[in-house]
């Protein structure tokens, strides 16, 4: 005997179906995130002992971990004109604003200098001109 569309599923099959639907929805939601393991990528050393570990780079956004030795400045990248950073370790100054571990700073001018003990931070650089295109008229 075959089941028709109006015949309800047995409770076990209905539960499996709901579970599979939740798994698919969860996968779709979680696939927007990228996990990068602690030792997965190389650090690049720049002038002045600045170290950078790229995480993600697109035409609009660049995110990385940055280590600045004491007193060193964040190098300027003319491709991006807005910076968002979260200080993870150490101390820094963003413009005139002193930062401690856990502090965040958003600035159009990346005027960031490590404090007396150096700094490690998450840096996200954005080019707002390409992030939010002008509406067509």
């Amino acid at each position: 005997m075959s089941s028709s569309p109006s015949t309800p599923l047995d409770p076990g099959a209905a539960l499996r179906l709901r579970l599979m639907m939740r798994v698919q929805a969860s996968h779709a939601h979680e696939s927007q995130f990228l996990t990068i393991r602690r030792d997965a990528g190389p650090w690049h050393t720049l002038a002045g002992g600045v170290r950078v570990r790229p995480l993600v780079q697109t035409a609009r956004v660049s995110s990385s971990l940055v280590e600045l030795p004491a007193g060193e400045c964040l190098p300027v990248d003319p491709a991006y004109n807005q910076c968002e950073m979260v200080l993870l370790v150490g101390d820094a100054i963003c413009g005139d604003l002193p930062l401690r571990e856990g502090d965040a700073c958003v600035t159009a001018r990346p005027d960031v200098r490590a404090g007396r003990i150096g700094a490690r931070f998450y840096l996200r650089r954005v080019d707002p001109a390409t992030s939010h295109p002008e509406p067509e008229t």
Side-chain angles (χ1 to χ4, degrees):
M1 181 174 182
S2 65
S3 66
S4 66
S6 62
T7 305
L9 296 173
D10 70 76
L15 179 62
R16 280 191 296 280
L17 180 60
R18 283 196 319 269
L19 181 60
M20 290 308 296
M21 289 172 60
R22 285 183 67 189
V23 166
Q24 289 174 346
S26 176
H27 175 69
H29 175 73
E30 295 300 321
S31 65
Q32 67 182 324
F33 301 106
L34 174 66
T35 300
I36 300 172
R37 299 292 175 205
R38 180 185 317 213
D39 298 324
W43 285 85
H44 304 286
T45 303
L46 308 176
V50 174
R51 292 182 355 127
V52 177
R53 181 173 175 210
L55 300 175
V56 174
Q57 183 148 4
T58 69
R60 295 182 228 170
V61 177
S62 169
S63 64
S64 56
L65 296 175
V66 178
E67 286 184 351
L68 297 177
E72 284 295 320
C73 291
L74 175 67
V76 174
D77 186 340
Y80 303 101
N81 56 14
Q82 182 175 340
C83 293
E84 302 168 358
M85 61 175 279
V86 178
L87 187 62
L88 304 172
V89 177
D91 61 337
I93 300 168
C94 182
D96 295 330
L97 180 67
L99 302 175
R100 297 179 310 202
E101 292 179 12
D103 287 346
C105 176
V106 177
T107 179
R109 290 183 50 226
D111 182 16
V112 179
R113 177 182 301 275
R116 59 181 173 73
I117 60 173
R120 178 185 294 169
F121 52 91
Y122 168 78
L123 175 67
R124 182 174 185 262
R125 290 178 168 162
V126 181
D127 180 4
T130 59
S131 297
H132 304 288
E134 293 293 320
E136 294 182 19
T137 56

